[in-house]
Amino acid sequence: MPNNKDRVCIIGAGPAGISAAMYLEKKGYTNYVIYEKQNKIGGKCWSPKLKVSHNGVEEEKTFETGAIMGAITYHAVHEVEEFGGYYHKGPDFKPGEPNMRREFRSLDGVVQHPFEPKVDFSVGKLLSLVKLKKQMKKLNKLMQTKYVGYDCYGHLGIAKGEYYGISKGVEGHCGATKENSFPNYVKGVNPNLKDLMLPFSEFCKINGVEEVQRIWIAPFTSFGYGYFDEVPASLVMKYLDVTTALEFVNLRLWTWQEGTQEIYVRANAKLKNPALLEHEVVKVERPEGGKVKVTVKDKSGKTKVEEFDKLLVTTPLDHFKDYADASQEEKDLFSKIIHERYIDYVAEFEPGKSPVISGYMVENMVPERLGHAMVYYNRWQHLGADCPATVYALANHTGTPDVTYEFAQKTMDEDMAKVGFPVKKKHFAQEVYYCPHVSCKDFQEGWYDRLEALQGQRNTFYAGEIISFGDMEDTCAASKDIVGRFF
C-alpha cells in the first residue's frame, strides 16, 4: 500500500525526475532524494547562455540545445511551471521574446512557400493543398471516432486493443469534452488502436491520409524523433495529437525567455529536497523482502550506500543493467529499447549572414540524407543577422548504416553554407541520446504491457521518456501517472 512516509530514491534530475518529486510532494512525500550525475538540472532541456553582440551592444542570451517549445496541450509542463513560478511566453509574442516563426528552404537556398497557395501560384499546388486540407479533416475525424482513446499519455493496452491513461485532450478542441480532457483518467476498449503499432507511413496509407505527413514531418523528424517508415504511429500521435499539430501549423506555440531548462531549475529550487548534482548512482541492490540499497559516488569520487523503501528510475532504462541487479526480465525488456542519434550545434555565422528566422529543409528529412541539416533555429528575432542559431541532424535509421558524428558535423556545415549561412565558429556541439522507444514488432508483442507488469516489483518503478514519448510534456505526464497510481 502507498505510504507517504516511505523514503524514495529518484534517479535523474531531468523533467521526469523533477516532476516526479513535485508530484510526490503534492501527495505528502517529503522523504525523497534525487541523484543527478551531471552538474546541471534539466537533462536534455539544456539552455546555455552565450554573449552576443548586436549593433555594438553585447548581451547574454539563452540558446536551446534540446527542448524548444510547448503548446496548449502541455498540461503537465504547465503544472511544473506553476510549481516553480516560471511561465512561458506566447503564443502572442512581444518584441524581445523568443518566438517560433519559420520558413522553408530548398537545398539551394531558395525560400519556399509550400502551404501558401497565393505565393508561387500554380494549379497543381492549389489542388495539392486542397487535397491536404481534406485529408487533415479526415484524420481529425478518424482520431475522434475510429481511434477513440489514442490521445491519452502512454501506450498501455494498445497491443490488446485497449487504452488506459491520463487524457491529453483540451476541452473544446478537436472534439474533446470535459470528461475526456486533462487530467482525467480515461479507459476503454478499441481494437482499432492496434493500427497505431504500424509505422506512421503505413498508418497514413491504410487510412487514406498520406498527405498529412507533409504537416507532421517538420515538427517530428526534424526535431529528432525518427522517420515515418520506422516509428510506430502511436509515438507520432502521442506527441502530435491533432490539437498539438494544429497549434504547430498555426504557430500558436510557447517558448521560455530563459530557456526550457529554467522550468526545471525553478521547480527544483522550490522542492523540499533539491537534487544532489554530480552524484552518480553506480550500484543498485534490491534484496528480496529488503530495502533498496543504492551506492552513490559524488564528484570527489567518494562513495556511500543509502537505503530506500522505493526506487524511481527516470533515466534511460537500457542502461539500468549496467549498474543495477537487473532481473532477466528487465534485461530482456530493456535490451529492446532503441533510440535516435540526434546531433546539434549552436553556431555563429559569418558577419551579416546568420539566418534571421528559423527554417526547415524538408528535402533533408529522409533516410537517404542522414547527417544533413534538417532545421535551424533562430531564437532571437531582434538580433537579426547577428543571431547565432542551433542546427540539427539525425544520424541513424533502421536498416541504414549510421553516419558518424564527424560526418554529420561536416555535412551540416556544408548544408548551411549552401543555403547562405556560412558557419564561422561553433559555441557548442553534441550528440544526444534521443527519443527512446521500441520497434513496431516489439510494440505488437506487448512490450509496454510487460513493462507495466514490472512496476512495483522489487520496490522499483520506471518513469521517463520511454513510458510515453520523448518530449518534455509526455515525460512529465508519465511521472504524474506513475506517482498517481503507485505512490
Side-chain angles (χ1 to χ4, degrees), residues 138-211:
K138 181 179 180 181
L139 179 63
N140 183 25
K141 186 174 181 180
L142 284 169
M143 303 317 290
Q144 292 180 44
T145 54
K146 182 178 180 181
Y147 297 110
V148 169
Y150 87 97
D151 57 347
C152 60
Y153 298 97
H155 311 279
L156 288 181
I158 290 176
K160 297 179 286 188
E162 302 170 355
Y163 60 93
Y164 177 81
I166 301 172
S167 173
K168 194 175 186 176
V170 181
E171 184 179 357
H173 290 255
C174 296
T177 64
K178 184 176 182 179
E179 289 70 32
N180 63 358
S181 293
F182 184 89
N184 294 316
Y185 273 88
V186 292
K187 182 178 183 179
V189 176
N190 183 358
N192 293 322
L193 291 175
K194 293 181 180 180
D195 293 347
L196 291 172
M197 296 183 292
L198 297 170
F200 186 61
S201 57
E202 190 173 341
F203 173 83
C204 291
K205 184 176 181 180
I206 66 170
N207 283 296
V209 292
E210 295 98 324
E211 291 295 309

Side-chain angles (χ1 to χ4, degrees), residues 102 104 114-115 132 136 139 200-201 204 209-229 236-237 239-240 245 248-249 342 360-369 374-375 394 469:
R102 49 95 178 110
F104 294 83
F115 304 112
L132 174 60
M136 280 290 293
L139 179 63
F200 186 61
S201 57
C204 291
V209 292
E210 295 98 324
E211 291 295 309
V212 304
Q213 294 174 82
R214 294 170 54 193
I215 298 290
W216 262 253
I217 193 170
F220 191 87
T221 297
S222 74
F223 283 99
Y225 299 123
Y227 299 94
F228 290 157
D229 67 338
V236 181
M237 297 308 297
Y239 171 46
L240 290 173
F248 270 94
V249 169
Y342 199 38
Y360 293 120
M361 291 185 276
V362 177
E363 292 167 274
N364 281 342
M365 299 178 198
V366 293
E368 295 77 17
R369 301 284 290 176
M374 299 185 297
V375 61
L394 273 168
F469 186 73

